[in-house]
Amino acid sequence: LGGLGVAKGAGALSRKMAREAAEEAAERARAELHRDNLKDIGDWGRDKGLPQESFVYKNLPDSLTRENLQFEEFKNLTRTHMDDMTEEQVGQMKRIRDDVPPITRDTVVTKVMPYEYLEGYLKADNPYNTIGGFVARQADTGHLAGQDLKQTIDNFALDYKKWDGSDSDFVQALSKGENRYILFEGRLNEPHTAEIPRGERFGGRHTDALPCTLNGFIACRSDEIIPEFKFERENAQTPENGSVIWVIENGEKRKAAVFDRNEMKFVPYDGN
């Protein structure tokens, strides 16, 4: 009996040591994955001028380590439609997207729009005075401001089809040899109404057509990673005072209009 007790004790100790060894090996693997992802993200962002407060720099390394994902795997998944993901990938990407900081009253957001919209924002009678639809945080997109139209179409997947099957206004402009668009940058009055454009598999209600991924990230045709948000039509936002509409033409960025909260509209920028 004494020998049996010793044997049982030795077996329990052996199992404990094996468990501890396995835990140590897993921890080393996580640490190695974290180091590899930090290096890959650093190499990827080095020449982009990506802000340090961006999601990719500030949050993504820890998210990838937790989900046991490599940076390149994740980047590919941001471009993958919800329906083409496994259940495991859906869970991983949902948790990672939840790590993106939400839009608050202090968040500067950006929205790319066709150049023709500028006339609507500056017309004398009943001008546009809200921002709606898909937007992104400036922290994740500020390094892209000023790029030409083709690059911007690729960065933001603006090659979508309109409801009647025609090309987007951006693609039509490019086909005519134009190289201009407008960019909103500013804070919004009720940012808590922003939604993550997720489809049913992600627990969302959105059904936007391709190229929307319905996973909360833009299906960039370039090497970018951009989390997106959406304001539905009924939640279109009034900008905060001083928000800006820029014109980007032939790669040059100039201030075109500024939101005046007293007049509740954008007014042409006069240089002051």
Side-chain angles (χ1 to χ4, degrees), residues 210-225:
L210 293 170
C212 184
T213 61
L214 298 178
N215 69 33
F217 290 91
I218 294 176
C220 304
R221 279 73 165 102
S222 62
D223 193 42
E224 299 300 327
I225 295 172

Side-chain angles (χ1 to χ4, degrees), residues 146-166:
Q147 294 194 354
D148 66 24
L149 179 58
K150 176 62 170 66
Q151 291 171 310
T152 301
I153 290 173
D154 289 344
N155 291 336
F156 292 90
L158 299 174
D159 54 346
Y160 55 85
K161 297 291 185 181
K162 295 197 284 189
W163 65 270
D164 61 358
S166 61

Side-chain angles (χ1 to χ4, degrees), residues 98-119:
D98 286 340
D99 293 336
V100 177
I103 296 176
T104 70
R105 291 290 294 270
D106 295 324
T107 305
V108 177
V109 305
T110 64
K111 180 177 178 65
V112 176
M113 293 177 282
Y115 178 80
E116 291 70 25
Y117 282 27
L118 181 61
E119 181 180 354

Side-chain angles (χ1 to χ4, degrees), residues 2-13:
L4 181 59
V6 170
K8 287 183 177 179
L13 180 61

